[in-house]
Amino acid sequence: MTETADQQQRDQRSGTAWYRLSDEQVAQELDVDIQQGLGSEEAAKRLAQYGPNALKEQGLTSPWQILWEQVTSTLVVILIVAAVVSAALGDFTDAVAILAIVALNALLGFRQEYRAERAIAALRKLSVPHVKVRRGGHVQEIGADEIVPGDVVLLEAGTLVPADGRLSDAANLRVEEAPLTGESQSVDKDAAALDGDPPLAERRNMAYMGTSVAYGRGLMIVTATGMQTELGAIATMIQQVVKETTPLQQRLDHLGKVLAAIALAIVAVIFILGLARSEDLKLMFLTAVSLAVAAVPEGLPAVVTIALALGAQRMLRRNALIRKLPAVETLGSVTTICSDKTGTLTRNEMTVTVLEVAGERIDLETPGSSADAGHNSLVPEEHPLMSLLLVGGALCNDAILESDEHGQRIVGDSTEGALVVAADRVGLSKALLEKETPRVAELPFEAVRKRMTTVHRLSDGRGDRPEWLKALPLEGQPHDGQPHDGQPHDGQPHDGQQSDGQRSDGPVFVSFTKGAVDSLLEIGNRVLTGEGTVPLDEPWRNRIDQAHERLADQGMRVLGLAYRVDVAPNGETPQPTEQELVIVGLFGMIDPPRSEVRDAVATCRTAGVRPMMITGDHPLTGRHIAAELGIDVEGGVVTGQQLDALDENQLDELVNTCSVYARVSPKHKLSLVKALQKQGQVVAMTGDGVNDAPALRQADIGVAMGITGTDVSKEAADMVLRDDNFATIVAAIEEGRMIFDNIRKFIKYLLSANAGEILVMLLAPFLGMPLPLLPLQILWINLVTDGPPALALGLEPAERGVMRRLPFPADESIFSRGVGIDILWIGLVTGISSLGLGYYFYSPDDQVWQTMIFTTLTFAQMALALTVRSQVDSFFRIGPFSNPAMLGAVVLTTALQLIAVYVPFMQSIFSTVPLSAAQLGLCVALGSFVFWTVELVKLVRRWRAPRVANEEKEESTPAKTGTNS
């Protein structure tokens, strides 16, 4: 894949890649004076040319089209035909019931799909109501939708970026780009032109619509608005994604076609057999149609919908909000989870995890970690150098901690906030530290210097020193306000001995400087150790460089801290001096993984679900987090730039071996999901940012974060995690597998029962018997046996080992894994046992034999409902009370059947006669025959299962010898 078509089109319209040009060239290209801005007439002209700065809703499915899709599936069409035929034959009750089921399904499906189409509308919420621009030499505040290419926009901390633009000025500017790129920390920006074609996350001189300014200020020349922005490109991708039908929808559609063929065959066979026996033409037609309706279980769509709805409610109690009902079952078929890193696998909080001073390292516990209490914890009194490092990081810092009803929150840059939190967790409160050592001067952070310096008053010669100052040698330099040459000042004690107190010739001040390690090494000349300060010679430089590389290789962001002590003899406040500094140590920080995710990943792999990480973050960070969580990293880490160099076939091969992708764009995420789907994978994509929305919509299951997720990602997703917990996905997959198992159970139950009825009707004429069941009796059996018991099967708990098996292939037929064969032989057992009993009592002079067939079939289906609750486990193992709904359904159906046999009013309707106790007992005995037969088959399966597993293991052992498992 080379540069995307969307990017090529934008380049053609704009004429260039803006990040490669200087700001003067950009201004010339867009015909604007940076100091004056656009004139009002020119702005109006461009607004007419380019249109409003807003995202357009294109290609959304109309409500009528959504409704039409709900009523045109094969199974629903068959039900509509059955309702029409029933009404034509005068059976209005059955016709109304079928149409009510169709309407219920259509309304539920319409509601879910209509909400899904509102994803693009959520993008519009990212627009900025008002923004400051230069127009005609003056700063004006205008609506964001009035911005045009060429406008000069003023950016300030806390504001959203209203359009895409090239920075012409950046003063300590940092932009939070996580919603667009997936970066877990704010990005430093500058106005220098870039070479080559860096990925979006590394274009330091560009700002993009939908991101926010975290720190500093800047000036931006707008280069793209509305749908021409990167955010607009994402909106276009969302609209272009064609959502495939779910595995369940495909299976039910296939089932509908099979049942339609069966129904037509039944109508023809029964009708021909009846005519051959000179049966009444109208009666044969009614019987044939009744059997055809029986072959198509009209309650199936309702049972599926209700089972999915109940499953969605259970998932909601486990913090998984299902937005589209078919997604409930699709979760059970998931084979691959493509997970974003930031906020999904990690907490989306930059956290200091390592402190390193003078060769000593402490790994800090992270909140919510599973480490034993006290393990690797920091006690300030026992680690004075570490304490000084934390104090310096907290004081040389503009972030603060604020308390609210939810606890503490960081106000300011996330990286600086991590330093403040680290100090606060060991009792070094920034607020108290600033009271003890107030800031008196500062040198703000600059991207060129890559560091920041603050000056703090330590003492005026009176009072006790703070506890953390015990690690700080106070041999200060007389501050003369002049720059120094970087060499030790004459007369400054550098013997490694700690001073025994404050100097008496003036107030003492300490300057803390934090920043990039290489930047500090340029201005430092000594290192603080437990014995005092020592020269920063070549061995020490190598040790610091090695520590830096070691932390960076673990995917951490590394900052260093240095200090300088000054004495002001005349009491004046010294100015910040970034020379002759003493190196204190290093901070290693990372967005740490959630504590529960490792177990969730392990469970996924046990269940045959492959976890993959697709992130916009740095490759080293991605690799470290993936390895820590147990995601496969043997295939290496592939970046977005490397993906751009691959063709379609190479990408198809890559996704089989690589599980970690970094520095990816929204287009890359979309391509990876499509590549996996081409190979038959059922893909779940998790994410929380705007950049995840296209892939969320393309995936078979889009999973958005409910807390940190944007509105865009939530609207594009099929499922929303209310607790942002990756482990909730595992619970949802288990629920999905259970629901699909239950759907297979009640399809097996319904079709087996219907097969028994059909077999009775087909075989009776060959035995010289008249019609064994009347049309109303057939409809009655379907009414009382297809309803409550099938619904109760949808409530069946999960079977043993549901998360220790491979997921079912998405293209696998619903009749696979023995379901189709079971339907045939169970139907045969049910039909023969019922017909055999009727044949034994057959007499053309009474209706006892017909009533016994009618009753035996009903009882047999109740026995089948009890035993079909598990594919392998015995009914006696799972127990009758593990699903109270099933027990209630069987009791209710049995009672209704007895009413149809013994109540005179019902006898007249269904042409039944009362049975004697012995006859009823025979009906119960023959009806239960199918129960014992199925239980015997399950016993054989349980006996064979260990033997088959051992044989497969023995056969596969030689092939695995010498391989890396």
Side-chain angles (χ1 to χ4, degrees):
M1 295 182 300
T2 57
E3 189 176 29
T4 68
D6 290 337
Q7 185 65 49
Q8 289 174 347
Q9 291 174 5
R10 287 198 296 279
D11 282 351
Q12 290 169 5
R13 287 191 293 266
S14 63
T16 188
W18 302 107
Y19 48 84
R20 297 175 187 164
L21 301 181
S22 66
D23 56 342
E24 293 86 359
Q25 291 173 312
V26 172
Q28 183 178 359
E29 185 78 21
L30 292 171
D31 192 20
V32 62
D33 184 335
I34 298 177
Q35 301 304 319
Q36 297 294 315
L38 296 174
S40 56
E41 293 184 2
E42 179 63 21
K45 179 181 176 182
R46 296 190 184 190
L47 185 61
Q49 177 184 354
Y50 294 101
N53 178 36
L55 300 179
K56 299 177 182 178
E57 298 185 10
Q58 299 175 348
L60 296 182
T61 305
S62 70
W64 290 110
Q65 185 178 351
I66 296 173
L67 184 60
W68 175 253
E69 291 172 354
Q70 302 302 315
V71 297
T72 53
S73 69
T74 304
L75 196 56
V76 172
V77 169
I78 293 174
L79 292 180
I80 293 174
V81 172
V84 172
V85 173
S86 298
L89 296 175
D91 188 1
F92 295 105
T93 302
D94 200 49
V96 170
I98 294 175
L99 289 176
I101 291 170
V102 171
L104 174 64
N105 282 279
L107 289 174
L108 287 174
F110 173 82
R111 179 174 177 271
Q112 296 292 335
E113 293 299 321
Y114 181 71
R115 289 181 61 193
E117 288 301 318
R118 292 162 48 196
I120 188 63
L123 282 167
R124 306 185 71 161
K125 296 180 181 179
L126 292 175
S127 61
V128 186
H130 292 89
V131 63
K132 293 179 180 180
V133 300
R134 284 181 183 170
R135 289 271 178 93
H138 302 285
V139 175
Q140 301 179 13
E141 198 169 271
I142 64 173
D145 57 350
E146 299 176 28
I147 291 176
V148 297
D151 262 327
V152 179
V153 178
L154 281 68
L155 301 177
E156 299 173 342
T159 62
L160 292 179
V161 179
D164 289 3
R166 170 70 163 82
L167 296 171
S168 66
D169 183 33
N172 305 324
L173 184 65
R174 296 180 192 171
V175 177
E176 178 65 49
E177 295 184 336
L180 189 64
T181 67
E183 281 280 7
S184 57
Q185 59 194 38
S186 57
V187 181
D188 294 324
K189 296 291 183 176
D190 60 56
L194 301 175
D195 295 326
D197 189 19
L200 186 143
E202 296 178 5
R203 296 175 189 172
R204 300 188 305 273
N205 58 8
M206 298 290 293
Y208 295 101
M209 183 179 188
T211 61
S212 59
V213 179
Y215 190 84
R217 58 180 176 79
L219 205 63
M220 180 184 79
I221 306 172
V222 174
T223 58
T225 58
M227 296 300 288
Q228 311 307 318
T229 63
E230 292 293 336
L231 196 64
I234 294 175
T236 301
M237 281 191 282
I238 294 175
Q239 296 163 0
Q240 292 175 346
V241 169
V242 178
K243 193 71 173 179
E244 299 292 335
T245 55
T246 68
L248 179 61
Q249 290 169 325
Q250 296 171 5
R251 288 162 173 153
L252 290 181
D253 192 59
H254 173 71
L255 175 62
K257 294 175 181 177
V258 171
L259 294 180
I262 293 174
L264 290 175
I266 290 171
V267 170
V269 172
I270 296 296
F271 194 71
I272 292 172
L273 287 176
L275 291 179
R277 291 177 52 81
S278 301
E279 296 281 359
D280 179 70
L281 184 62
K282 181 180 179 182
L283 176 63
M284 289 310 305
F285 184 73
L286 286 172
T287 303
V289 171
S290 298
L291 272 177
V293 173
V296 182
E298 63 272 14
L300 181 58
V303 170
V304 170
T305 300
I306 292 172
L308 294 177
L310 293 175
Q313 292 178 8
R314 290 194 297 271
M315 289 185 182
L316 185 61
R317 290 194 290 269
R318 301 175 78 169
N319 289 316
L321 173 63
I322 300 297
R323 298 188 61 252
K324 303 174 185 178
L325 283 183
V328 175
E329 179 274 335
T330 308
L331 278 162
S333 302
V334 165
T335 59
T336 304
I337 299 178
C338 297
S339 176
D340 187 37
K341 178 187 73 66
T342 305
T344 307
L345 299 175
T346 64
R347 297 203 307 267
N348 196 21
E349 299 173 0
M350 287 300 292
T351 304
V352 176
T353 56
V354 174
L355 301 177
E356 185 147 346
V357 295
E360 181 185 1
R361 168 174 170 154
I362 284 187
D363 295 296
L364 299 178
E365 294 177 16
T366 56
S369 69
S370 58
D372 295 333
H375 178 67
N376 282 342
S377 61
L378 174 65
V379 179
E381 293 77 8
E382 298 176 1
H383 300 86
L385 294 186
M386 298 291 182
S387 300
L388 179 61
L389 181 63
L390 287 172
V391 168
L395 289 174
C396 186
N397 198 311
D398 289 328
I400 60 174
L401 286 182
E402 285 188 352
S403 300
D404 54 26
E405 64 273 14
H406 302 294
Q408 289 185 319
R409 67 182 184 91
I410 297 171
V411 179
D413 180 72
S414 60
T415 300
E416 290 199 324
L419 300 176
V420 177
V421 170
D424 189 76
R425 286 179 54 217
V426 297
L428 298 170
S429 166
K430 180 181 180 181
L432 295 179
L433 292 173
E434 287 183 329
K435 288 183 179 179
E436 294 176 340
T437 54
R439 183 188 301 189
V440 295
E442 64 182 284
L443 200 57
F445 174 87
E446 289 182 0
V448 176
R449 291 173 27 252
K450 297 188 292 186
R451 55 183 179 265
M452 168 186 182
T453 297
T454 56
V455 181
H456 302 264
R457 185 185 184 99
L458 283 182
S459 171
D460 58 2
R462 300 187 300 273
D464 296 330
R465 290 182 294 162
E467 186 69 27
W468 58 268
L469 272 178
K470 292 180 179 179
L472 183 65
L474 296 181
E475 61 274 15
Q477 303 183 81
H479 189 85
D480 55 12
Q482 301 297 320
H484 296 265
D485 57 6
Q487 300 302 318
H489 189 277
D490 293 338
Q492 180 182 0
H494 290 295
D495 56 2
Q497 302 302 314
Q498 183 170 324
S499 172
D500 60 356
Q502 276 89 331
R503 295 283 298 268
S504 59
D505 53 357
V508 180
F509 297 85
V510 62
S511 300
F512 286 114
T513 302
K514 81 170 190 303
V517 176
D518 57 349
S519 171
L520 295 186
L521 290 176
E522 293 175 0
I523 58 176
N525 64 358
R526 301 189 69 77
V527 178
L528 180 63
T529 71
E531 304 300 323
T533 61
V534 297
L536 180 59
D537 52 19
E538 197 62 28
W540 267 108
R541 287 181 180 274
N542 292 336
R543 288 178 65 177
I544 294 173
D545 281 335
Q546 290 172 5
H548 181 200
E549 292 176 4
R550 186 168 56 250
L551 295 177
D553 287 342
Q554 296 175 10
M556 297 186 186
R557 183 177 188 186
V558 185
L559 290 179
L561 181 81
Y563 80 91
R564 170 190 172 95
V565 174
D566 289 295
V567 177
N570 300 321
E572 78 277 9
T573 299
Q575 294 302 308
T577 302
E578 292 182 339
Q579 294 186 25
E580 303 181 24
L581 302 186
V582 181
I583 306 294
V584 179
L586 309 180
F587 298 97
M589 60 186 72
I590 199 169
D591 181 13
R594 295 176 178 271
S595 57
E596 67 280 355
V597 170
R598 184 176 179 85
D599 290 339
V601 169
T603 302
C604 282
R605 301 184 70 162
T606 302
V609 180
R610 177 190 179 194
M612 296 174 64
M613 178 190 292
I614 304 177
T615 177
D617 222 329
H618 193 279
L620 287 175
T621 304
R623 181 184 181 90
H624 175 75
I625 294 295
E628 190 169 340
L629 293 175
I631 297 175
D632 181 26
V633 294
E634 292 185 3
V637 180
V638 176
T639 65
Q641 286 181 307
Q642 292 172 317
L643 288 175
D644 284 333
L646 301 179
D647 59 29
E648 191 171 323
N649 293 331
Q650 290 172 322
L651 179 62
D652 292 343
E653 294 178 4
L654 178 69
V655 294
N656 289 323
T657 57
C658 180
S659 297
V660 183
Y661 301 84
R663 283 285 190 254
V664 294
S665 69
K667 184 68 176 180
H668 296 137
K669 294 184 178 183
L670 194 59
S671 298
L672 289 167
V673 171
K674 288 180 177 179
L676 289 164
Q677 289 175 327
K678 276 179 58 180
Q679 300 180 38
Q681 302 293 315
V682 179
V683 182
M685 171 70 191
T686 71
D688 58 358
V690 176
N691 61 326
D692 297 320
L696 289 174
R697 191 166 175 83
Q698 174 67 42
D700 299 281
I701 291 291
V703 184
M705 302 297 109
I707 298 174
T708 60
T710 60
D711 288 340
V712 181
S713 63
K714 294 175 188 176
E715 290 293 338
D718 303 289
M719 181 173 80
V720 178
L721 303 182
R722 298 202 304 172
D723 58 356
D724 284 14
N725 191 336
F726 186 87
T728 303
I729 302 174
V730 181
I733 288 177
E734 180 181 4
E735 189 76 32
R737 291 188 176 190
M738 180 188 74
I739 289 171
F740 181 59
D741 284 351
N742 290 344
I743 289 174
R744 284 167 59 93
K745 289 173 187 176
F746 59 67
I747 287 177
K748 176 179 174 179
Y749 163 72
L750 290 175
L751 297 186
S752 299
N754 291 353
E757 298 171 29
I758 293 169
L759 193 65
V760 168
M761 298 298 291
L762 287 176
L763 293 181
F766 294 100
L767 298 177
M769 302 169 65
L771 290 177
L773 294 173
L774 299 177
L776 279 179
Q777 291 175 339
I778 295 172
L779 294 175
W780 171 260
I781 293 176
N782 289 338
L783 176 65
V784 299
T785 64
D786 287 6
L791 287 174
L793 281 172
L795 301 175
E796 199 65 36
E799 294 200 46
R800 291 183 300 126
V802 70
M803 291 299 286
R804 293 194 299 272
R805 72 180 192 212
L806 296 178
F808 294 162
D811 58 353
E812 184 175 275
S813 169
I814 207 162
F815 297 111
S816 64
R817 301 178 187 266
V819 171
I821 295 175
D822 285 351
I823 289 172
L824 293 177
W825 74 258
I826 292 174
L828 186 65
V829 170
T830 303
I832 290 177
S833 60
S834 302
L835 185 60
L837 181 62
Y839 182 77
Y840 181 80
F841 284 91
Y842 173 67
S843 172
D845 299 329
D846 61 47
Q847 294 177 311
V848 170
W849 66 275
Q850 196 173 51
T851 303
M852 293 184 74
I853 292 177
F854 177 42
T855 305
T856 303
L857 272 174
T858 303
F859 288 167
Q861 293 184 26
M862 291 304 93
L864 177 61
L866 291 174
T867 187
V868 82
R869 291 172 54 199
S870 174
Q871 182 73 5
V872 177
D873 286 334
S874 166
F875 166 80
F876 302 101
R877 179 186 177 93
I878 59 179
F881 300 104
S882 59
N883 186 357
M886 175 58 73
L887 198 60
V890 169
V891 171
L892 174 63
T893 302
T894 302
L896 289 173
Q897 179 62 26
L898 294 177
I899 290 173
V901 172
Y902 291 104
V903 174
F905 172 73
M906 300 293 284
Q907 291 173 355
S908 62
I909 295 176
F910 294 105
S911 302
T912 57
V913 296
L915 301 176
S916 66
Q919 291 169 336
L920 183 63
L922 284 173
C923 292
V924 172
L926 267 294
S928 66
F929 181 69
V930 69
F931 174 89
W932 299 110
T933 306
V934 174
E935 286 295 318
L936 179 61
V937 170
K938 289 196 289 186
L939 177 63
V940 173
R941 286 175 178 167
R942 291 195 297 273
W943 176 70
R944 289 187 68 246
R947 296 181 57 188
V948 171
N950 290 333
E951 290 173 1
E952 292 177 348
K953 184 177 180 180
E954 291 173 2
E955 291 176 0
S956 63
T957 300
K960 290 186 177 181
T961 303
T963 62
N964 188 6
S965 58

